[in-house]
Amino acid sequence: MTGFQTHAAENRADSPSPEERLLELGITLPPAPSPVANYVNGVRTGNLIFLAGKGPKRADGSEVSGKLGKDLSIEEGYEAARLTAINQMAVLKVMLGDLNRVTRVVKVLGMVNSDPDFIEQPAVINGFSDLIVEVFGERGRHARAAVGMTSLPRGQAVEIEMIVEVDGETTP
């Protein structure tokens, strides 16, 4: 395998839908988090949706905050990234009506609030990537960057953007 993956059509009838996978995993999508400034959660152009960066907001409205390598462990960061994936899927659900309309997760940019000596950003962002692949299967495999930042808004542990390809139907 070369590390490159082309857009191969996955037989969706042979695998559970993303929403069935969420049920199997015991995950209920929360309401989509509202933007905290002058932007929108996502923009669709053609068959691509560019999702704004989201962080690890819990159902009660609190956020996972702190610096990895100082305040938070890799495991805590992994869980924060996983929570961020749930929030991004909630945005997609609102935008599309049905997560099965995602044909491909194209690109993920994961930013980690890092202590200067922390170098395990990929291990943290794996929390996001692992859940996306669990939910979407092969069409969830994506290109990715995982980078360290000296700070993130409100001190949140991670912020993650995502680009997805969707079917050609108009949004609901």
Side-chain angles (χ1 to χ4, degrees):
M1 181 175 229
T2 64
F4 294 101
Q5 197 167 39
T6 60
H7 179 17
E10 181 178 337
N11 186 349
R12 295 182 195 177
D14 291 345
S15 60
S17 74
E19 295 183 35
E20 290 168 336
R21 285 295 299 138
L22 286 168
L23 284 174
E24 290 172 6
L25 294 167
I27 296 172
T28 301
L29 295 180
S34 297
V36 297
N38 188 16
Y39 65 91
V40 294
N41 277 331
V43 172
R44 180 172 177 170
T45 181
N47 286 359
L48 294 177
I49 293 178
F50 292 76
L51 294 177
K54 289 289 178 213
K57 185 177 275 190
R58 299 179 185 102
D60 67 6
S62 66
E63 291 182 305
V64 179
S65 61
K67 285 195 178 292
L68 273 291
K70 178 182 175 190
D71 309 312
L72 300 169
S73 68
I74 291 172
E75 294 76 20
E76 290 168 318
Y78 181 98
E79 290 303 318
R82 186 175 171 90
L83 180 57
T84 304
I86 293 168
N87 290 326
Q88 287 289 36
M89 286 186 282
V91 170
L92 280 174
K93 173 77 173 165
V94 168
M95 289 185 77
L96 297 171
D98 181 356
L99 293 177
N100 208 40
R101 293 185 56 204
V102 172
T103 59
R104 183 70 195 214
V105 177
V106 177
K107 176 81 190 293
V108 168
L109 169 60
M111 296 163 275
V112 180
N113 190 351
S114 300
D115 184 71
D117 294 326
F118 186 74
I119 59 170
E120 297 297 327
Q121 291 83 4
V124 170
I125 301 303
N126 281 345
F128 187 97
S129 296
D130 290 349
L131 183 57
I132 293 296
V133 172
E134 280 184 83
V135 171
F136 290 100
E138 282 302 308
R139 60 187 152 141
R141 294 197 184 280
H142 51 269
R144 184 182 90 177
V147 297
M149 302 289 176
T150 59
S151 68
L152 288 173
R154 299 170 312 284
Q156 64 191 8
V158 299
E159 181 173 339
I160 303 174
E161 298 177 355
M162 182 165 63
I163 302 168
V164 299
E165 180 185 40
V166 297
D167 65 27
E169 299 174 26
T170 57
T171 54

